[in-house]
Amino acid sequence: GGGIYRHVWLTVAPPVHIAPWGVYAPAVVTAATINHAASGSDTAHAVLNSSVDLANVGDSGRSGVRITATIIDAGGSVVGSARSDAVSIAAGSGTMEAPYTVALPPIVMPDAALWSVDYPVLYTLVATVSPGGDTVNTTFGVRLARFDPDRGFLLNERPVKIRGACNHQDFAGVGVAVPDALQFFRVRKMKSTGINGWRTAHNPPTPGLLDAADKLGMLVWDENHKVDRPSQAEALVRRDRNHP
C-alpha cells in the first residue's frame, strides 16, 4: 500500500485554462419524458446545464475569454453545443477553494439515450477555451436516479434492486498497483455474479475503476472514509461528480 501505486500525470496548459476537475456536466431528465423501451434501452428529453471552472496562472488578467462546449454521442455525432459570454479573469484567479466558474447556456438533448446498468450509454462533453485552445473531454451519462419510499431505488423510473459488495482497492498478485485493465476484469466478474453495486471500501477509488463502472454498467458508492477531512471530501466530489 505504500509508494506511487496510481497513475501520475504532468499536465501542461496555457496560463488561462480549465481548472483540474473543473468541468461539470449534469444532465437533467424529467421523469414524464422518459420512454421505456421493451428492450430496456430507454430514452428521454434531457437538458445539459454545464459549467466550467477557469484558472489564470499568468501575470496579467485576460479579457474576452469564451468557452465552447460540444456534446458528442457514442457514435461520434454532434448532439448540440453552446458558447459562453465573454468573461474577464484576473491574474491568479481560479482555485478549488475559490473557483472562477463560467456557466454555459443549456444544451437540449432530445431523445437522449439513458445510462443504466444494462445499457451503459455514455456521452462526451468537449470544452474548449478561447483564446489559448485549452480543451478537456469529459465523459458523462444521462440518467435519473432517486429513492422512493414505496418503490425503493429507481433508475430512470425503473425499480432496481442494488445488489452490492464492498471491494478494497488491492488485487491478488499486484497489491494496490492495479492496472486499468484489471479494473475492467473485476467489474465484469462482479457483474457475472449478479452484482450491480460497488462500494469503494474505504477510500476514494482510482479513476480507472470508475471509468470501468461507467462503461460496463455498475452503480458505485464512492466512499470517503475520513470524515474529518472536508477538503478531501470536496476533492472527491469534484473529481467524480460526472460519473453516472
Side-chain angles (χ1 to χ4, degrees):
I4 297 173
Y5 55 81
R6 291 185 180 176
H7 297 305
V8 177
W9 302 100
L10 175 65
T11 301
V12 179
V16 177
H17 59 271
I18 298 173
W21 313 324
V23 177
Y24 186 31
V28 178
V29 177
T30 303
T33 69
I34 295 178
N35 298 310
H36 286 150
S39 64
S41 179
D42 301 331
T43 60
H45 178 84
V47 178
L48 186 73
N49 297 310
S50 57
S51 62
V52 175
D53 294 341
L54 292 178
N56 182 2
V57 297
D59 296 328
S60 60
R62 182 72 63 86
S63 60
V65 177
R66 295 180 183 270
I67 299 169
T68 302
T70 303
I71 300 174
I72 309 295
D73 67 15
S77 299
V78 174
V79 175
S81 62
R83 193 182 188 203
S84 73
D85 294 332
V87 299
S88 298
I89 179 170
S93 296
T95 63
M96 195 174 79
E97 294 75 19
Y100 187 92
T101 304
V102 178
L104 285 104
I107 305 175
V108 176
M109 303 177 65
D111 297 320
L114 300 185
W115 184 95
S116 69
V117 293
D118 295 319
Y119 292 89
V121 181
L122 297 172
Y123 292 86
T124 300
L125 183 67
V126 181
T128 302
V129 180
S130 60
D134 186 38
T135 298
V136 171
N137 293 350
T138 302
T139 303
F140 69 97
V142 180
R143 84 284 189 275
L144 177 62
R146 69 184 184 92
F147 287 90
D148 183 271
D150 299 315
R151 302 176 65 197
F153 175 65
L154 301 178
L155 183 60
N156 304 325
E157 295 302 290
R158 290 182 183 267
V160 174
K161 294 294 186 183
I162 301 177
R163 301 178 178 90
C166 296
N167 293 276
H168 288 260
Q169 64 182 350
D170 58 310
F171 190 83
V174 296
V176 293
V178 182
D180 291 345
L182 268 182
Q183 305 294 356
F184 283 84
F185 171 82
R186 297 179 76 184
V187 172
R188 288 191 181 99
K189 281 293 186 183
M190 300 297 277
K191 290 204 70 176
S192 73
T193 69
I195 286 175
N196 62 11
W198 185 298
R199 178 189 174 198
T200 64
H202 300 280
N203 45 53
T206 173
L209 171 63
L210 299 183
D211 290 340
D214 287 350
K215 293 175 181 177
L216 299 177
M218 178 74 74
L219 302 170
V220 175
W221 175 342
D222 198 354
E223 187 175 64
N224 177 45
H225 190 55
K226 299 292 186 181
V227 295
D228 59 340
R229 309 281 175 85
S231 61
Q232 186 182 92
E234 181 175 353
L236 173 74
V237 171
R238 282 185 165 272
R239 188 194 70 168
D240 300 342
R241 56 188 171 174
N242 296 308
H243 289 280

